[in-house]
Amino acid sequence: MSNQLQLAVHGAAGRMGQRVVALAAEDSDIEIVAAIEHSENRLLGNDAGLIAGISALDISLTDAWPNYAAVVIDFSLPVAADGCIANCVAAKIPLVMATTGLTEIQKQSLEEASKSIPIVFAPSMSMAVNLTMKLTQQITETLKGVPGGLDIEILERHHRFKADAPSGTAIKFGELIAEKMDGDVKHVHGREGETGQRTRGEIGYHAIRVGDNPGEHTIVFGMMGERIEMNVAASNRDCYASGAIVAAKWLQDKPAGLYNMFDVLGL
Ligand SMILES: NC(=O)C1=CN([C@@H]2O[C@H](COP(=O)(O)OP(=O)(O)OC[C@H]3O[C@@H](n4cnc5c(N)ncnc54)[C@H](O)[C@@H]3O)[C@@H](O)[C@H]2O)C=CC1
Ligand SMILES: O=C(O)C1=N[C@H](C(=O)O)C[C@H](O)C1
């Protein structure tokens, strides 16, 4: 059908890429036009649907970029981000950049790329996570002057295979919370040795890697005599994959620019 959204998935054989392929294949508004992977991936040439654990789609895993796609969803790795960005800019294809762990230079190249193509860039495509981000900003704004002080710690739990720490989501939680705090903020990643007592302007980060946890974040707001814990947890990866597909569709009528999931979700 010509009016389907022609989607290319970058990192298509990965944990996330497989879920994007599977959910997109169920969506009658989407036509998967390319399932792109690393040139050394041993699954190149295999059917992307079978790799994703669904029926064959007659789309072979490839390392070649399509001549045309309406949008690229990237769930690859930081090492692949530069090529992805460059190909999307060259072909003027809108991009959903979901990969985390990008360097500052790579984030700058995303900014530059967004001058010519529309990009959604977010460390979590989950609606629940992005709503929780907004709620934690409200809690920080409300409690930051509480008598006795407010201590904020961010715990994130992920599967044993995750290659970056802390999660991009935890880093984004910290950035958003820091925007609402007064004075200088010190981001403290883990604690060991004679640290001395906690200072007021700290945000602590703790990365837990266990089993097959698809992603869980707990923001602890500690006060003298009580605390609030905001917990958001995925039970599988489809919250991220479906969020990325929503973002891909949202991008279709947008001008060049750098957008996030708050823009997509209207938060
Ligand atoms: N924004 C979000 O909502 C979410 C983001 N993520 C992020 O997505 C990324 C991928 O996560 P997973 O799927 O668990 O990892 P994964 O390791 O299972 O998948 C990454 C895929 O990228 C492929 N890849 C590596 N280099 C490539 C290249 N040069 N060209 C094309 N493909 C290449 C790998 O072969 C692999 O199949 C991570 O950065 C993770 O943090 C994960 C879940 C949700
Ligand atoms: O690697 C993962 O799995 C996830 N990574 C993202 C992150 O680093 O924030 C999003 C989600 O937490 C799952």
Side-chain angles (χ1 to χ4, degrees):
M1 205 163 45
S2 61
N3 59 353
Q4 289 177 296
L5 178 69
Q6 294 181 303
L7 168 66
V9 183
H10 190 234
R15 287 176 290 268
M16 278 307 311
Q18 289 180 42
R19 293 313 303 156
V20 173
V21 167
L23 295 190
E26 291 172 0
D27 188 329
S28 59
D29 295 329
I30 294 177
E31 177 192 359
I32 301 171
V33 296
I36 307 166
E37 262 291 346
H38 191 282
S39 57
E40 303 299 316
N41 192 297
R42 60 184 172 75
L43 295 174
L44 289 182
N46 289 10
D47 186 279
L50 296 178
I51 293 168
I54 61 174
S55 53
L57 296 175
D58 199 22
I59 298 280
S60 297
L61 199 67
T62 180
D63 62 353
W65 284 78
N67 295 323
Y68 176 75
V71 63
V72 169
I73 293 178
D74 178 271
F75 280 103
S76 60
L77 293 175
V79 68
D82 299 308
C84 178
I85 295 166
N87 279 289
C88 288
V89 169
K92 293 207 174 303
I93 301 176
L95 170 61
V96 176
M97 174 51 75
T99 297
T100 62
L102 301 192
T103 65
E104 286 311 309
I105 291 175
Q106 288 177 316
K107 291 176 184 173
Q108 288 163 17
S109 70
L110 265 182
E111 286 262 6
E112 188 61 27
S114 71
K115 293 174 183 172
S116 53
I117 57 172
I119 297 172
V120 170
F121 176 41
S124 182
M125 298 284 156
S126 153
M127 175 178 285
V129 165
N130 283 277
L131 177 56
T132 305
M133 286 176 171
K134 284 294 184 181
L135 296 173
T136 54
Q137 285 196 304
Q138 187 182 352
I139 294 170
T140 305
E141 186 89 72
T142 305
L143 294 180
K144 62 185 177 180
V146 68
L150 176 65
D151 303 327
I152 301 174
E153 300 275 314
I154 299 171
L155 285 63
E156 55 101 330
R157 283 173 255 211
H158 284 84
H159 51 92
R160 65 174 62 157
F161 310 105
K162 185 168 178 57
D164 57 319
S167 65
T169 301
I171 294 169
K172 178 58 75 176
F173 266 113
E175 289 170 355
L176 294 168
I177 288 167
E179 284 175 14
K180 300 299 184 183
M181 290 170 71
D182 295 331
D184 293 340
V185 177
K186 185 178 174 191
H187 300 272
V188 179
H189 294 274
R191 290 193 184 83
E192 63 176 341
E194 290 297 312
T195 63
Q197 70 175 21
R198 191 189 199 284
T199 60
R200 278 294 175 86
E202 288 182 17
I203 299 176
Y205 298 78
H206 309 277
I208 299 165
R209 294 288 176 268
V210 285
D212 61 354
N213 192 319
E216 183 173 357
H217 293 81
T218 306
I219 319 303
V220 182
F221 298 88
M223 296 160 280
M224 301 308 284
E226 57 187 348
R227 73 172 181 272
I228 294 170
E229 295 191 3
M230 295 289 285
N231 178 270
V232 53
S235 41
N236 60 48
R237 291 179 168 85
D238 287 3
C239 58
Y240 312 121
S242 57
I245 290 170
V246 166
K249 292 178 177 178
W250 182 86
L251 270 180
Q252 288 317 292
D253 61 354
K254 299 300 178 290
L258 188 55
Y259 305 95
N260 56 42
M261 281 306 281
F262 296 159
D263 299 314
V264 173
L265 299 170
L267 294 177

